[in-house]
Amino acid sequence: MIAVESLAKSFGSIRAVDGISFTVGKGEILGFLGPNGAGKSTTMKMITTFLPPTSGTAKVADFDIWENPLEVRARIGYLPESAPSYKDMNVYDFLMFTAEVRGYDGEERKNRVMRMLETCNLKEVAWQLIDTLSKGYRQRVGFAQALLHDPEYLVLDEPTDGLDPNQKQEVRALIRRMGREKCIILSTHILEEVEAVCSRAIIIGNGRIVADGTPEALRSRSVLHGAVTLELTGEGIKDALADLQKIEGVARVEELKNDDLPAKTAVAEGEDAAGSAKNGKSSLRVRLFPKKGVAIAHEAAKFVHERKWEVDAFTLEKGDLNEVFYNLTKGGEKA
Amino acid sequence: MRNLKAVLKRELRGYFESPVAYVFIIIFLLATAGCTFFISRFFDARVASLDPFFVWHPWLYLFLVPAVGMRLWSEERKSGTIELLFTLPITLIEAIAGKFLAAWAFIGIALVLTFPMVLTVGYLGSPDYGIILTSYLGSFLLAGAYLAVTCLFSAMSKNQVISFVLSVVACFAMVMLGVGVFTDFLNGFLPVRISEAISAFSFFTHFQSFQRGLLDSRAIIYFVSMIGFMLTANAIVLEMKKAE
Ligand SMILES: Nc1ncnc2c1ncn2[C@@H]1O[C@H](COP(=O)(O)OP(=O)(O)O)[C@@H](O)[C@H]1O
Ligand SMILES: [Mg+2]
């Protein structure tokens, strides 16, 4: 278990991390989410004993970062942001070095390195200087280094940063696989990543925790959560807007003017106004917002069916993590 | 201890895997030979002694040792690998000692490669091999002191060139404290006791005692504690600066 207790770090007058507490257990993949400058990396640097906190502490497997930093380091696999590695070494030598420092020697050391080259698909570049590798390969070298001693705890700072979409998928799959028997903290500012891999997410803004929960729970904080988006076609559909208000449990109906933007920020009135004409019929895109805690999908479907409108699309919104993220962290952006 | 060895091996290999090492050794050998033969006029002196060889070491090291040591921490901080190094189960002491010893060993190797000098002087006459031995020891310790200063300044800046310049200036100051002209200058306005105390801190005066064939324990202790002091300062600076 990693237990973080009121961790804080100041750089001069900058309060980079401002009293963060949480615990992560085995089998959990904790996503550390926040805008740039929120304090994600600084927190990770303190947990991995690189930086001493200004106040507070953290325990990894019951070893305190102040009292037993070496024990903590021995148990953590850490991938620092942008995966630094000794560029004047080749991949094999670099991993042999970390293996040596991790306490392996002889055959065991070689075997571990070979296994890592395999796991991280590095075999074909094993003898290449790290300097000459592409960003994707360097990231894999960083992974190999972090996983070499099969640590119980993994701290990954933006593990998919700079990777192409395929590589991102690979890395996410790898993390998910490892997450079953390890305790993982990863930071990211990519929201889809949190949904794809994390069992839990902590959003930090301005050095503080502003939300903590499963990705689903966080998403349900979205005003969109539980809303129903409809695309209707029919005659006299213009009048439907008022009609839809009558559905039980609906708090508010909003007409959607532009495909790309969420309702609240929809652009200039008049543009793409009020549905387009299609075969003499007109169409309408609306979003029904439920009253708090009410499920409206069923009622809405029934209602639309009764009115005999053609339904081009019917979507039950799960909520938008982007919106939650934005609302929780806006104003928290630092210069 | 095992980790010290790992760091040391990594650094030492780093030297020999880059052409810089060979360039350095060649320059070192050419410079020592050049100064000995052409400036000191070794052959004209007709004395079977390596004095004209060792007398140049404090001045050659002034540039060559900072060149060897400047990257030790600057590079580590610049490329961010310091974060890797200090999140591996390595202690600060192991890392600092490992790096220092690697660079020192490298300079030692360059120094050993000057053995043709000994052969030459042995062929031409019958030198006092005791003096040659203590002079080599003194030279090696002197290089260690320069290197420790360089390690300290290397930790101060991410920029190798700045580290180099600061190291050269600092080493120059440490040498000059004991050089005649400077002590004379100090004597001009300071009591002799104080200017002597100042020059007692110089690399130069302690190096000279080895050249006289003395195995002066005070000089050995001086260099060893100077190295220890600089490396301790190195550790403190690293702790302060590693976050940046
Ligand atoms: N070494 C440092 N010196 C001064 N300020 C720093 C240092 N490291 C980080 N900061 C500041 O601390 C804040 C948090 O940074 P960081 O933890 O890197 O954020 P994140 O990883 O979430 O993008 C930022 O405002 C950053 O400018
Ligand atoms: Mg960061």
Side-chain angles (χ1 to χ4, degrees), chain B residues 188-201:
Chain B
F189 57 92
L190 285 175
V192 175
R193 265 193 313 138
I194 293 183
S195 71
E196 269 179 359
I198 291 176
S199 77
F201 266 101

Side-chain angles (χ1 to χ4, degrees), chain A residues 254-274:
Chain A
E254 220 172 74
E255 188 174 352
L256 302 182
K257 313 248 164 136
N258 190 309
D259 284 355
D260 298 331
L261 294 167
K264 282 174 42 169
T265 49
V267 283
E269 288 292 309
E271 190 187 351
D272 194 20

Side-chain angles (χ1 to χ4, degrees), chain A residues 77-277:
Chain A
Y78 177 38
L79 175 69
E81 194 167 4
S82 69
S85 50
Y86 292 109
K87 301 215 167 67
D88 56 347
M89 296 177 101
N90 67 36
V91 175
Y92 179 81
D93 287 341
F94 174 67
L95 293 178
M96 285 297 272
F97 167 70
T98 44
E100 186 176 3
V101 175
R102 292 286 183 190
Y104 302 109
D105 52 16
E107 279 302 299
E108 167 80 2
R109 181 173 160 213
K110 236 179 244 163
N111 290 341
R112 287 215 168 236
V113 170
M114 294 315 284
R115 217 176 315 145
M116 273 304 121
L117 291 174
E118 190 114 25
T119 314
C120 300
N121 289 323
L122 285 164
K123 273 179 133 171
E124 68 269 34
V125 296
W127 307 109
Q128 220 168 304
L129 285 188
I130 294 174
D131 198 25
T132 64
L133 296 180
S134 67
K135 172 76 192 159
Y137 272 112
R138 274 186 213 171
Q139 196 78 6
R140 286 190 215 174
V141 172
F143 253 100
Q145 162 275 124
L147 298 177
L148 189 113
H149 53 303
D150 194 21
E152 248 180 283
Y153 302 91
L154 272 179
V155 177
L156 311 170
D157 200 350
E158 307 203 0
T160 60
D161 188 42
L163 301 183
D164 68 36
N166 295 336
Q167 294 167 330
K168 279 188 186 172
Q169 289 308 326
E170 272 171 44
V171 166
R172 285 172 194 163
L174 179 67
I175 294 173
R176 268 198 306 266
R177 236 180 300 136
M178 292 185 307
R180 287 183 217 127
E181 65 257 31
K182 295 188 193 304
C183 170
I184 303 180
I185 302 181
L186 67 89
S187 79
T188 181
H189 50 247
I190 308 168
L191 296 160
E192 56 179 274
E193 193 153 293
V194 174
E195 311 218 66
V197 296
C198 299
S199 59
R200 181 177 149 204
I202 284 181
I203 300 182
I204 50 179
N206 259 337
R208 290 166 180 273
I209 296 182
V210 292
D212 182 349
T214 62
E216 295 79 51
L218 291 179
R219 221 172 20 194
S220 70
R221 290 180 166 209
S222 163
V223 295
L224 265 178
H225 178 70
V228 169
T229 306
L230 288 170
E231 229 178 296
L232 304 169
T233 315
E235 278 163 50
I237 200 77
K238 285 286 106 218
D239 306 325
L241 213 54
D243 213 7
L244 285 163
Q245 294 275 12
K246 295 180 197 143
I247 302 175
E248 212 182 310
V250 168
R252 188 159 59 85
V253 179
E254 220 172 74
E255 188 174 352
L256 302 182
K257 313 248 164 136
N258 190 309
D259 284 355
D260 298 331
L261 294 167
K264 282 174 42 169
T265 49
V267 283
E269 288 292 309
E271 190 187 351
D272 194 20
S276 53

Side-chain angles (χ1 to χ4, degrees), chain A residues 11 14 16-17 34-43 45 81 157-158 204 334-335, chain B residues 243-244:
Chain A
F11 296 107
I14 302 171
V17 175
N36 284 327
K40 305 182 291 294
S41 298
T42 307
T43 306
K45 285 175 188 179
E81 194 167 4
D157 200 350
E158 307 203 0
I204 50 179
K334 288 184 192 173
Chain B
E244 286 167 27

